[in-house]
Amino acid sequence: MRGLTDDEMYVADQLFATLDTTVRVLVPETRPRILISDTVGFIKDLPHDLVASFRSTLEEARDAKLHIHVLDAADSAFRDQYDVTRQVLADIVDPDHPRLLILNKSDLLDDAERSKLRKEFPEAFLMSAASTTDTQTLHGLIQTFFESTMSEANFVIPYDKQAKVSLLHDRCRVLEERYEEDGAHIRVRAPQAVLSALQREV
């Protein structure tokens, strides 16, 4: 989370170090912005008095476009932890919801262990958060996913409504901008939901 958002936040190797969802902007920033939510970890047989603390996590999971499952590959119990997470999510989101499996702490494994994990989890990204290169690669994987969900659209903004131009710059990636007699012609790229909202608003 620190590596993806360039933000210092509390980190501790203990249960319940995080009880609230933390949201930060992916850095370097993209247009449109990509928000990263760090949720509470899923715990098997959670005590009832802590269920409320997990409510925001479940809400975030419903709204997220991409689930990134981060597992400690150096922990022998990570497979059981992964099963718990999938079981909880299966009750609230579609099983085909886009997800990215991250096997972290690969620097604590030897070559044979890394090779075995690659064969067992061919869809996973085996990485170390301590590696700047690995974090940059993960950044690229996230950005590539969102790129694949985007569409292009063209807007013509009359000169008496130029405030709408900054709105397009803020919410989209502007690919082309031309000024002609009838106003600003702007070609943008953004998720379809964003484009649909802008077409109604603009």
Side-chain angles (χ1 to χ4, degrees), residues 11 38 47 141:
V11 175
D38 180 25
L141 291 173

Side-chain angles (χ1 to χ4, degrees), residues 158-200:
Y159 286 113
D160 61 345
K161 297 183 178 179
Q162 286 302 290
K164 301 296 185 182
V165 173
S166 61
L167 194 64
L168 293 176
H169 276 275
D170 184 54
R171 299 186 189 176
C172 307
R173 181 181 315 136
V174 175
L175 304 175
E176 183 182 12
E177 187 170 353
R178 306 189 321 273
Y179 288 85
E180 301 184 3
E181 289 185 6
D182 56 345
H185 289 241
I186 303 177
R187 182 165 60 93
V188 300
R189 185 171 177 81
Q192 187 56 53
V194 173
L195 294 176
S196 297
L198 284 168
Q199 285 163 348
R200 290 191 297 269

Side-chain angles (χ1 to χ4, degrees), residues 8-180:
E8 291 297 321
M9 57 194 69
Y10 180 69
V11 175
D13 186 14
Q14 63 187 43
L15 288 175
F16 308 120
T18 303
L19 282 177
D20 296 304
T21 298
T22 301
V23 182
R24 297 288 186 274
V25 176
L26 184 68
V27 175
E29 284 193 32
T30 60
R31 280 288 182 268
R33 285 178 166 182
I34 297 173
L35 301 181
I36 304 292
S37 297
D38 180 25
T39 68
V40 179
F42 291 100
I43 306 296
K44 186 177 182 180
D45 300 327
L46 185 70
H48 290 296
D49 57 347
L50 287 175
V51 169
S53 297
F54 281 67
R55 191 164 296 140
S56 62
T57 288
L58 298 178
E59 291 172 355
E60 288 287 339
R62 286 192 188 97
D63 295 337
K65 303 298 186 222
L66 173 67
H67 292 161
I68 302 176
H69 295 193
V70 183
L71 300 171
D72 180 351
D75 185 341
S76 60
F78 85 81
R79 292 170 182 81
D80 290 337
Q81 295 162 359
Y82 187 33
D83 287 341
V84 169
T85 302
R86 288 185 296 179
Q87 288 167 14
V88 173
L89 289 177
D91 292 335
I92 59 175
V93 296
D94 190 291
D96 295 326
H97 190 89
R99 60 193 63 191
L100 178 61
L101 177 60
I102 304 297
L103 299 180
N104 192 30
K105 300 190 180 181
S106 64
D107 53 317
L108 302 181
L109 306 174
D110 60 32
D111 290 342
E113 290 171 322
R114 284 192 287 269
S115 178
K116 181 181 178 181
L117 285 177
R118 288 191 181 98
K119 291 178 181 177
E120 185 179 356
F121 301 97
E123 77 285 5
F125 175 44
L126 190 60
M127 67 169 287
S128 167
S131 165
T132 301
T133 299
D134 284 355
T135 302
Q136 290 173 344
T137 300
L138 176 56
H139 184 291
L141 291 173
I142 295 170
Q143 189 171 352
T144 296
F145 167 79
F146 282 97
E147 282 287 343
S148 71
T149 68
M150 292 186 189
S151 303
E152 289 188 16
N154 293 289
F155 291 83
V156 178
I157 311 297
Y159 286 113
D160 61 345
K161 297 183 178 179
Q162 286 302 290
K164 301 296 185 182
V165 173
S166 61
L167 194 64
L168 293 176
H169 276 275
D170 184 54
R171 299 186 189 176
C172 307
R173 181 181 315 136
V174 175
L175 304 175
E176 183 182 12
E177 187 170 353
R178 306 189 321 273
Y179 288 85
E180 301 184 3

